[in-house]
Amino acid sequence: MIHVCSLSKVEETVTKTGAERLLSLLAAGTEVMRPASITRENHLHLVMHDIAVAQEGMTMPGEEHVLNLLDFARQWDRSRPLVVHCYAGISRSTASAYIIAAALAPKRDEAELADTLRALSPTATPNPRLIAIADVLLDRRGRMIEAIQAIGRGADAFEGTPFELKI
């Protein structure tokens, strides 16, 4: 099970779910306190801004980020949950949860997965740059991109409501 939340809900979500792995996607300078129950080797912190096109002074999500994310996900034995978070729990984290689910269930239909994501999180607005990179790396031939475009932008919110995504 993948649990998605905002930075402010990390400790609560890890405690509530009994998660053993944590994926943090945050801009440089945004601090995250790794919960004591998560070992250092079970925490991946990727530094990037929530942007889809290059902007001066910002770190755009790149192929190395997605490769690291996929490697981290593939090392997960799934015996206990994985928590994925970004600052608001709306864009980088929802994109990453979608990517992980697609990678670990390669026969799962991209559109069905995107529709499930939308049903679970009305605010989900997956980062299109992360989705585009993963689409290429997972050889989905544009289907991930199309599926995420089809669900459109999520409802406006300062912070997403935590949710869980089954693989």
Side-chain angles (χ1 to χ4, degrees), residues 25 48 51 61-62 65-66 69 91-93 95-96 99 127-135:
L25 304 113
M48 69 182 79
I51 57 175
H65 292 114
V66 179
L69 179 155
S91 183
R92 290 166 287 184
S93 58
S96 297
I99 290 164
N127 179 285
R129 172 85 175 152
L130 287 170
I131 297 298
I133 294 167
D135 185 273

Side-chain angles (χ1 to χ4, degrees), residues 3-73:
H3 292 267
V4 179
C5 66
S6 63
L7 176 61
S8 72
K9 303 280 192 222
V10 170
E11 185 76 43
E12 174 186 331
T13 304
V14 167
T15 300
K16 183 176 159 184
T17 64
E20 72 175 352
R21 292 178 76 76
L22 177 66
L23 172 59
S24 302
L25 304 113
L26 298 166
T30 305
E31 290 188 40
V32 61
M33 294 291 294
R34 180 175 41 86
S37 62
I38 303 287
T39 62
R40 186 177 311 276
E41 59 271 7
N42 283 339
H43 180 209
L44 177 63
H45 182 184
L46 297 175
V47 177
M48 69 182 79
H49 287 89
D50 184 21
I51 57 175
V53 295
Q55 295 181 37
E56 190 173 330
M58 297 186 135
T59 304
M60 189 164 68
E63 185 174 312
E64 186 175 333
H65 292 114
V66 179
L67 287 169
N68 287 332
L69 179 155
L70 290 169
D71 184 52
F72 184 72

Side-chain angles (χ1 to χ4, degrees), residues 76-119:
W76 175 36
D77 68 9
R78 297 192 242 174
S79 63
R80 291 176 49 204
L82 163 67
V83 171
V84 177
H85 80 93
C86 59
Y87 187 78
I90 292 173
S91 183
R92 290 166 287 184
S93 58
T94 60
S96 297
Y98 179 84
I99 290 164
I100 292 167
L104 298 182
K107 297 200 185 300
R108 191 165 181 184
D109 180 76
E110 297 85 359
E112 177 275 323
L113 180 55
D115 289 343
T116 299
L117 182 66
R118 170 58 68 234

Side-chain angles (χ1 to χ4, degrees), residues 145-165:
I145 297 166
E146 291 170 8
I148 293 300
Q149 287 174 343
I151 66 168
R153 179 177 169 79
D156 287 340
F158 175 73
E159 183 177 77
T161 302
F163 67 94
E164 60 185 54
L165 176 64

